[in-house]
Amino acid sequence: MKVPRLLTLALSLSLFGAAGAYANSLWGEYEGFAKAKLMVNNEEKTFGEADTPAFLVKGSAVLPVRVLSESLQALVKWDDAKKTVSIQKPNVHMFVAKKVDNDYSIKQPFGVVKKGDRLDFAVFAQVDNLQTPIYSFQISIYSPEGEQVATHEKVVNGQRESFWYPWPFNVTFNESGKYVVKFSIKQDESSAYTVVSEKVIGSE
């Protein structure tokens, strides 16, 4: 279920670490309040006309929960009956290696490849602190241009607080730059995937 459009989270400006907001009249107004510019890991977050933007109330920044949570790779869910928003941040660590044995030992890990190489390798995901039921998870690989070059989906449909999961891939690294491996979670069958971890493979 989607979080209502006006559901927001108030944070003091002094508490910002990776995320920051800057208020200035040049950003305009939202329903009588000064808008704030939202930056997450040095990337500006933009809002459509139908979206609730970041804005200021009595010196504190009010931020859309879903935008902030998903930008920080956390899961967010709205319980309409209880009028409660839940944010979960599972620990997901990924490794890429040319081989993962049956005992989950990793052989020949790598992080850089030669442009043009075609490799058989495994993506190994270690997940813990997953404190909410999920429908499925997905491991996808994207080219430097943002094209999905490989993907694998696993339906779980239940509670799995911690697990290890290796999966083989065969990818040709045709471009120079950063290939991104993304681990995403779908909380229920009708929801969209949320990226909760990323791993970069450099192609030179």
Side-chain angles (χ1 to χ4, degrees), residues 20-93:
Y22 307 92
N24 195 303
S25 59
L26 65 89
W27 310 126
E29 292 188 351
Y30 173 75
E31 296 190 357
F33 297 98
K35 285 185 180 180
K37 182 178 180 180
L38 177 61
M39 303 288 293
V40 180
N41 293 329
N42 293 323
E43 178 182 339
E44 181 180 354
K45 293 300 174 182
T46 58
F47 302 91
E49 291 185 3
D51 298 330
T52 301
F55 59 94
L56 286 180
V57 177
K58 295 182 179 179
S60 292
V62 180
L63 309 175
V65 171
R66 182 172 294 280
V67 172
L68 182 61
S69 297
E70 293 183 354
S71 295
L72 298 177
Q73 298 184 338
L75 301 171
V76 60
K77 193 168 187 177
W78 171 249
D79 186 329
D80 192 57
K82 296 180 179 179
K83 298 296 185 282
T84 301
V85 61
S86 299
I87 300 173
Q88 299 282 344
K89 177 58 179 172
N91 298 322
V92 181
H93 305 282

Side-chain angles (χ1 to χ4, degrees), residues 72-75 87-93 126-132 134 161 183 185 196-197:
L72 298 177
Q73 298 184 338
L75 301 171
I87 300 173
Q88 299 282 344
K89 177 58 179 172
N91 298 322
V92 181
H93 305 282
Q126 180 182 0
V127 181
D128 61 64
N129 195 40
L130 181 56
Q131 299 180 17
T132 183
I134 64 172
E161 184 174 347
F183 189 97
I185 287 177
V196 294
S197 183

Side-chain angles (χ1 to χ4, degrees), residues 28-204:
E29 292 188 351
Y30 173 75
E31 296 190 357
F33 297 98
K35 285 185 180 180
K37 182 178 180 180
L38 177 61
M39 303 288 293
V40 180
N41 293 329
N42 293 323
E43 178 182 339
E44 181 180 354
K45 293 300 174 182
T46 58
F47 302 91
E49 291 185 3
D51 298 330
T52 301
F55 59 94
L56 286 180
V57 177
K58 295 182 179 179
S60 292
V62 180
L63 309 175
V65 171
R66 182 172 294 280
V67 172
L68 182 61
S69 297
E70 293 183 354
S71 295
L72 298 177
Q73 298 184 338
L75 301 171
V76 60
K77 193 168 187 177
W78 171 249
D79 186 329
D80 192 57
K82 296 180 179 179
K83 298 296 185 282
T84 301
V85 61
S86 299
I87 300 173
Q88 299 282 344
K89 177 58 179 172
N91 298 322
V92 181
H93 305 282
M94 287 191 294
F95 307 89
V96 289
K98 294 183 179 179
K99 184 179 180 182
V100 177
D101 286 345
N102 292 333
D103 62 356
Y104 294 132
S105 58
I106 298 171
K107 308 295 185 183
Q108 301 181 59
F110 66 93
V112 178
V113 299
K114 288 184 178 180
K115 177 185 175 182
D117 279 357
R118 184 176 184 87
L119 295 181
D120 290 306
F121 61 95
V123 175
F124 178 82
Q126 180 182 0
V127 181
D128 61 64
N129 195 40
L130 181 56
Q131 299 180 17
T132 183
I134 64 172
Y135 176 74
S136 62
F137 63 83
Q138 180 175 269
I139 302 172
S140 302
I141 302 174
Y142 292 83
S143 73
E145 295 298 321
E147 178 186 357
Q148 187 182 90
V149 297
T151 189
H152 168 70
E153 182 181 46
K154 174 70 174 179
V155 175
V156 176
N157 203 17
Q159 181 74 49
R160 294 185 68 179
E161 184 174 347
S162 62
F163 59 91
W164 293 354
Y165 192 84
W167 191 258
F169 287 92
N170 181 278
V171 173
T172 301
F173 295 88
N174 289 320
E175 303 172 30
S176 297
K178 295 179 180 179
Y179 282 75
V180 182
V181 184
K182 298 184 179 183
F183 189 97
S184 306
I185 287 177
K186 181 185 285 191
Q187 296 190 75
D188 51 65
E189 190 172 4
S190 61
S191 65
Y193 273 105
T194 298
V195 178
V196 294
S197 183
E198 295 184 2
K199 179 76 174 179
V200 171
I201 301 173
S203 174
E204 301 176 345

